[in-house]
């Protein structure tokens, strides 16, 4: 329960100027009303959910509607249970009005329906984030709260009009906000909703037509923008929300996803699918190798055509007539009959799904040819069980495993040459592997294309099992109904029993829960919008994976060309046009909220040495802590000294694969540290200098992960 049992404000002696009753009394009263409203809503939601759980489910649509309502109520309860009064972010006072508007993570109303908190995504809340002194957006003042364990431990006020300045005696400049940026980090991204800045908020609320590129250097809040944009779009855009596909959020690595895992739930959203590129491909579940000597060849989108030809190779009708012995004599299926059946599927139908269409069409052709001579049902049963026909059909149109199709390309050179005539002999040789199913990251887009082109063989098997089980249920139900109708002792006098002869009644008696089913692939799409973080690293083939999942081409593309490990010489517009995204807008983030100026001053020359026009952001704060250099032998001493001096916070050693993670010290490569941030970063470098683009970008990325202190050690 959130009922207030102690003062909401817990301001230390350092904030005496903020603690005077005339400054906080109105907030105390309003937040107490919010607490009561939250208690009432939680109790009401819990009662309604529990009542639904106890109610008889019924069947069909009624059961579905009940389950959906239970899910909706449970989702709201989960959001409310994450927060108490810290659901409130702050308040704004419109110019010319005295009553403030309080902004929260979600809407909260009192018993009379009066709004106590406005959802941060609502249009009325936009000035809370977007107002600046140059563009106050109609505000007189704004107050932001800092919450600690359910109580307000600080707040800062900003005035946008002369009257507001005259009326307030507790104004702050931006120093309080800037000081908050240096707060210690943890293993999860901290909550930053209350401190979203105007440049970030403008991007969060931007339209969703076409592709929006968000280009920003380290510390500019690209990931913050991407995550908050996902929550905003789900709330504000009906064509993107759950009923229209929802949002797919793609991050660069598993450590990154773990780091940001709390953000969307804290924003009141559990409707987005969050994953990496590898998560989209079942074959990657056991892990994939990062290095692949043929990665550059596989990155080409032309491999989609290679997969098409590889699958088409397995769709070859018999060239001659096929004669089958049956109980009615010889049945002949001509080469023309086979070709007609093979031409039946609609273009674009997955191979395994089309296989069912081809078989059905072949059966119809044969039955029609012998109509009048052989009983139709008898002939169909005979053909379905005919071993020679089944064997011939399986050879001509086999059930394909997508991973097997790709593995054959990597292990049968003649097959690869036939399917990829554009490859040189050296490329064919480079693609061959002794263990073709030991997948690499470069294989993933090709496996994804193969799954799309072949269809999921497990789905075909489940569909067959379902059809068999359904047929058995129908036959059993038919036998029961027939016995009831034949019984002379059963006469209800109302004509109910004869209704059992109606087909719809038969179908309504089927128990769907007993039929085999396959859990849908939640990452297969289609999605209403796709958000990609660290997008500068994606290959053309990986982009096609995402395009297949978003037919509307509605994208938010977040990245930094300067952090591309293999170089990024094109503009974003040129890069995206090459993979089929032509409606592109671009926004740039230029203010570094994370990295102190001392660290950025050291990192900037590093990246400009290989990328002169890099978008290097301007830091808004100094830490007073210089960048330290030293020798690898000092590593343990540096870490121990820092841990002893800091009871909270997280450090990271980057570039020392021999070191294991501990409770407060992570060990990562530069590539896997992308998107993350740490209080202390110790970068371990080899004594031999490597001036390649990849090594230089890795160094720049590693240096800019630190929020307080950077140490560079030579090994």
């Amino acid at each position: 329960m959130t009922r207030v049992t102690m003062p909401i404000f817990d301001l230390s002696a350092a904030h005496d100027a903020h603690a005077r009753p005339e400054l906080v009394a109105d907030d105390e009263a309003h937040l107490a009303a919010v607490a009561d409203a939250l208690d009432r809503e939680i109790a009401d939601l819990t009662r309604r959910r529990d009542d639904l759980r106890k109610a008889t489910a019924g069947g069909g649509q009624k059961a579905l509607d009940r389950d959906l309502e239970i899910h909706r109520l449970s989702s709201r309860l989960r959001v409310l249970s994450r927060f108490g009064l810290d659901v409130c972010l702050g308040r704004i006072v419109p110019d010319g009005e005295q009553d403030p508007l309080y902004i929260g993570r979600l809407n909260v109303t009192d018993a009379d329906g009066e709004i106590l908190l406005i959802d941060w995504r609502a249009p009325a809340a936009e000035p809370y984030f977007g107002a600046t002194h140059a563009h106050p957006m109609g505000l007189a003042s704004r107050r932001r709260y800092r919450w600690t364990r359910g109580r307000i431990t600080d707040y800062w006020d900003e005035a946008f009009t002369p009257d507001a300045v005259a009326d307030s005696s507790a104004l702050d400049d931006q120093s309080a906000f800037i000081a908050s940026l240096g707060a210690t980090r943890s293993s999860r991204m901290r909550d930053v909703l209350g401190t979203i800045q105007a440049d970030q908020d403008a991007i969060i609320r931007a339209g969703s037509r076409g592709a929006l590129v968000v280009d920003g250097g380290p510390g500019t809040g690209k990931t913050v923008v991407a995550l908050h944009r996902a929550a905003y779009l789900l709330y504000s855009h009906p064509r993107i929300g759950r009923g229209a596909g929802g949002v797919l959020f793609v991050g660069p690595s598993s450590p990154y996803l773990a780091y940001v895992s709390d953000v969307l739930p804290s924003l009141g959203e559990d409707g987005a699918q969050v994953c990496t590129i590898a998560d989209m491909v079942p074959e990657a579940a056991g892990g994939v190798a990062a290095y692949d000597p043929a990665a550059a060849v596989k990155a080409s989108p032309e491999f989609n055509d290679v997969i098409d030809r590889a699958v088409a190779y397995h769709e070859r009708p018999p060239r001659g007539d096929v004669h089958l012995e049956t109980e009615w004599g010889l049945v002949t299926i001509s080469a023309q009959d086979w070709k007609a059946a093979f031409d039946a599927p609609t273009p674009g139908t997955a191979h395994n799904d089309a296989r069912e269409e081809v078989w059905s069409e072949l059966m119809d052709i044969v039955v029609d040819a012998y109509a009048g001579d052989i009983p139709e049902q008898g002939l169909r049963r005979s053909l379905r069980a005919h071993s020679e026909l089944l064997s011939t059909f399986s050879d001509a149109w086999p059930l394909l495993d997508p991973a097997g199709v790709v593995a054959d390309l990597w292990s049968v050179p003649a097959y690869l040459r036939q399917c990829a005539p554009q490859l040189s002999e050296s490329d064919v040789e480079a693609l061959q592997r002794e263990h073709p199913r030991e997948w690499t990251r470069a294989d993933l887009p090709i496996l994804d294309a193969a799954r799309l082109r072949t269809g999921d063989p497990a789905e075909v098997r489940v569909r067959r099992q379902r059809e068999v089980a359904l047929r058995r249920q129908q036959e059993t139900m038919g036998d029961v109904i027939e016995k009831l109708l034949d019984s002379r002792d059963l006469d209800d006098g109302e004509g109910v029993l004869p209704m059992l002869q109606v087909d719809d009644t038969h179908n309504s008696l089927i128990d769907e829960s007993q039929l085999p089913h396959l859990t849908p692939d939640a990452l297969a799409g289609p999605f209403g919008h796709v958000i990609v973080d660290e997008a500068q690293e994606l290959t053309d083939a990986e982009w096609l994976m995402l395009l297949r999942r978003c037919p509307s081409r509605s994208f938010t593309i977040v990245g930094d060309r300067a952090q591309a490990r293999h170089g990024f010489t094109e503009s974003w517009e040129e890069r995206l046009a090459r993979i089929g995204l032509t409606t592109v807008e671009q926004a740039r983030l230029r203010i570094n909220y994370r990295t102190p100026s001392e660290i950025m001053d050291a990192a900037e020359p590093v990246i400009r040495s290989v990328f002169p026009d890099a978008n290097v952001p301007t830091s808004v704060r100094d830490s007073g802590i210089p960048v330290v250099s030293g020798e690898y032998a000092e590593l343990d001493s540096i870490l121990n000294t820092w841990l002893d001096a800091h009871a909270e916070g997280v450090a990271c050693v980057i570039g020392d694969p021999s070191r294991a993670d501990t409770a407060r010290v992570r060990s990562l490569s530069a590539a896997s540290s992308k998107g993350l941030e740490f209080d202390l970063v110790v970068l371990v470098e080899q004594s031999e200098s490597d001036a390649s683009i990849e090594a230089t970008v890795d160094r720049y990325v590693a240096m800019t992960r630190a929020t307080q202190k950077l140490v560079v050690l030579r090994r």
Side-chain angles (χ1 to χ4, degrees):
M1 300 291 279
T2 57
R3 188 171 300 280
V4 178
T5 58
M6 62 180 67
I8 296 169
F9 284 84
D10 183 25
L11 303 174
S12 67
H15 303 300
D16 279 347
H18 286 181
R20 293 195 301 278
E22 66 269 21
L23 296 177
V24 300
D26 289 345
D27 287 1
E28 287 267 11
H30 190 87
L31 291 173
V34 171
D36 289 340
L38 291 173
D39 286 348
R40 188 191 72 255
E41 183 175 1
I42 289 172
D44 179 59
L45 291 172
T46 302
R47 177 187 56 76
R48 289 161 58 193
R49 183 197 61 186
D50 292 347
D51 287 348
L52 282 172
R53 284 176 171 172
K54 295 173 185 175
T56 302
Q61 188 63 41
K62 288 184 178 179
L64 177 61
D65 291 343
R66 187 200 72 150
D67 291 346
L68 289 173
E69 181 64 6
I70 290 174
H71 174 76
R72 187 188 69 80
L73 296 173
S74 298
S75 295
R76 177 75 174 182
L77 278 168
R78 279 196 300 272
V79 173
L80 293 176
S81 68
R82 293 180 66 90
F83 299 99
L85 281 177
D86 52 351
V87 73
C88 182
L89 304 172
R91 73 181 198 192
I92 53 178
V93 179
D95 190 13
E97 300 180 23
Q98 296 212 343
D99 292 337
L101 303 176
Y102 288 81
I103 311 303
R105 299 175 185 279
L106 39 84
N107 281 313
V108 176
T109 59
D110 64 14
D112 298 323
E114 182 179 344
I115 296 176
L116 300 176
L117 290 183
I118 299 171
D119 191 297
W120 68 273
R121 294 165 290 189
E126 186 172 356
Y128 178 81
F129 303 97
T132 65
H133 289 282
H135 301 284
M137 300 179 70
L139 293 191
S141 65
R142 169 173 56 202
R143 173 174 291 184
R144 302 176 190 261
Y145 301 134
R146 179 185 294 174
W147 292 91
T148 305
R149 289 182 286 277
R151 301 178 75 187
I152 297 173
T153 53
D154 193 10
Y155 68 86
W156 58 94
D157 285 341
E158 299 167 87
F160 298 100
T161 66
D163 289 344
V165 172
D167 291 343
S168 179
S169 57
L171 291 178
D172 302 294
D173 58 19
Q174 283 292 303
S175 60
F177 164 68
I178 291 171
S180 75
L181 300 176
T184 56
R185 267 48 179 180
S186 69
S187 60
R188 301 288 176 89
M189 176 177 277
R190 65 196 180 105
D191 176 32
V192 296
L193 175 57
T195 56
I196 293 290
Q197 296 299 287
D199 60 333
Q200 299 169 332
D201 186 65
I203 296 171
I204 290 169
R205 297 176 189 270
S208 62
R209 299 287 179 183
L212 172 65
V213 174
V214 182
D215 184 272
T220 55
K222 298 187 300 297
T223 297
V224 166
V225 166
L227 289 162
H228 288 71
R229 182 159 167 76
Y232 173 78
L233 291 174
L234 284 168
Y235 174 88
S236 304
H237 288 58
R239 73 174 190 84
I240 286 174
R242 294 177 185 83
V247 171
L248 175 66
F249 187 100
V250 183
S253 66
S254 295
Y256 166 97
L257 294 188
Y259 180 61
V260 304
S261 60
D262 280 345
V263 176
L264 282 172
S266 76
L267 298 174
E269 284 299 343
D270 59 2
Q273 294 292 335
V274 181
C275 70
T276 66
I277 287 288
D279 293 333
M280 299 180 190
V281 183
E283 288 78 11
V288 294
Y291 175 70
D292 187 330
V297 181
K298 294 176 180 178
S300 170
E302 291 183 356
F303 261 96
N304 271 18
D305 298 330
V306 174
I307 291 298
D308 283 342
R309 287 189 284 268
V311 173
Y313 176 83
H314 297 281
E315 300 172 352
R316 298 183 296 180
R319 295 183 179 180
D321 297 347
V322 174
H323 305 288
L324 306 173
E325 289 287 348
T326 73
E327 59 185 289
W328 300 279
L330 199 64
V331 170
T332 298
I333 307 177
S334 69
Q336 290 77 15
D337 293 337
W338 283 100
K339 185 177 184 309
F342 275 49
D343 289 341
T346 304
T349 305
H351 169 90
N352 291 332
D353 294 334
R355 187 175 190 267
E356 303 297 308
E357 292 185 41
V358 172
W359 175 261
S360 179
E361 182 68 16
L362 188 64
M363 294 298 97
D364 290 344
I365 289 172
V366 176
V367 167
D368 288 346
Y370 289 89
D373 298 326
I374 303 176
E376 177 181 341
Q377 293 306 317
L379 181 55
R380 287 185 183 276
R381 280 196 299 270
S382 178
L383 294 175
R384 280 198 298 265
H386 202 292
S387 59
E388 183 182 348
L389 175 60
L390 293 174
S391 176
T392 302
F393 181 74
S394 291
D395 289 342
W397 197 297
L399 186 66
L400 292 180
D401 167 30
V405 171
V406 179
D408 286 347
L409 291 172
W410 303 161
S411 58
V412 184
Y415 182 46
L416 178 58
R417 290 189 192 97
Q418 181 171 336
C419 299
Q422 77 278 12
L423 294 179
S424 66
E425 194 57 35
S426 61
D427 285 341
V428 171
E429 184 177 342
L431 288 165
Q432 299 303 298
R433 295 211 294 261
E434 182 179 357
H435 304 289
R437 289 180 184 256
E438 292 182 356
W439 308 114
T440 70
R441 166 143 183 162
D443 289 322
L444 300 183
I446 300 170
L447 287 163
D448 189 64
R451 182 166 293 273
L452 179 72
R453 180 64 180 83
T454 65
D456 187 349
E459 185 176 336
V460 175
R461 285 192 291 270
V462 169
R463 190 161 57 241
R464 284 180 179 170
Q465 293 166 1
R466 183 182 179 87
E467 289 171 356
V468 171
L470 179 60
R471 207 159 39 236
R472 286 174 179 166
Q473 277 204 41
Q474 288 172 331
E475 290 171 356
T476 301
M477 193 59 62
D479 291 342
V480 172
I481 291 172
E482 200 64 39
K483 289 177 181 178
L484 288 172
L485 292 172
D486 286 346
S487 174
R488 297 181 180 179
D489 297 328
L490 290 175
D491 183 2
D492 58 9
E494 297 182 4
V496 174
L497 288 176
M499 290 177 62
L500 295 174
Q501 293 177 304
V502 180
D503 288 341
D504 287 346
T505 305
H506 285 217
N507 293 334
S508 69
L509 296 173
I510 297 299
D511 185 357
E512 290 278 343
S513 66
Q514 299 302 312
L515 298 177
H517 67 279
L518 189 70
T519 303
D521 182 358
L523 300 178
F527 293 94
H529 189 83
V530 174
I531 298 176
V532 193
D533 201 0
E534 302 295 347
Q536 73 276 355
E537 300 293 357
L538 296 190
T539 66
D540 287 0
E542 288 170 338
W543 271 114
L544 289 182
M545 292 177 66
L546 302 181
L547 290 171
R548 285 194 287 267
R549 288 164 169 79
C550 189
S552 67
R553 299 296 193 261
S554 178
F555 278 80
T556 299
I557 296 161
V558 181
D560 179 11
R561 293 166 60 238
Q563 293 186 59
R565 301 184 73 228
H566 303 293
F568 197 130
T569 57
E570 305 165 285
S571 68
W572 278 109
E573 289 82 357
E574 292 168 335
R575 175 76 181 87
L576 297 175
R578 187 151 50 81
I579 53 96
L581 286 174
T582 55
T583 304
V584 178
E585 294 185 11
Q586 186 166 339
R588 304 194 83 181
L589 293 170
R590 303 176 184 273
I591 301 174
N592 189 331
Y593 298 102
R594 176 182 69 212
T595 317
S597 60
E598 293 86 352
I599 294 175
M600 283 309 300
D601 289 345
E604 181 172 358
V606 172
I607 195 60
R608 293 211 186 278
S609 68
V610 294
F611 204 140
D613 65 340
N615 179 14
V616 179
T618 301
S619 295
V620 298
R621 66 187 180 95
D622 305 325
S623 67
I625 303 173
V627 175
V628 177
S629 298
E631 299 298 323
Y632 178 73
E634 304 172 62
L635 176 58
D636 288 336
S637 173
I638 289 169
L639 291 174
N640 291 334
T641 300
W642 185 85
L643 290 169
D644 289 342
H646 297 82
E648 296 180 337
V650 178
C652 185
V653 178
I654 299 179
D656 183 7
S658 66
R659 180 169 290 271
D661 285 351
T662 64
R664 291 178 57 206
V665 181
R666 300 289 307 279
S667 178
L668 297 170
S669 66
S672 60
S673 73
K674 277 191 175 180
L676 309 182
E677 53 187 28
F678 307 93
D679 299 284
L680 166 69
V681 167
V682 181
L683 172 58
V684 177
E685 297 188 319
Q686 301 302 316
S687 56
E688 303 85 9
S689 178
D690 185 347
S692 68
I693 290 177
E694 183 174 321
T696 304
V697 168
D698 281 351
R699 187 169 189 240
Y700 178 64
V701 168
M703 293 176 74
T704 55
R705 299 308 95 193
T707 65
Q708 295 181 11
K709 183 175 182 178
L710 171 66
V711 178
V712 181
L713 302 180
R714 284 283 182 179
R715 191 165 193 167

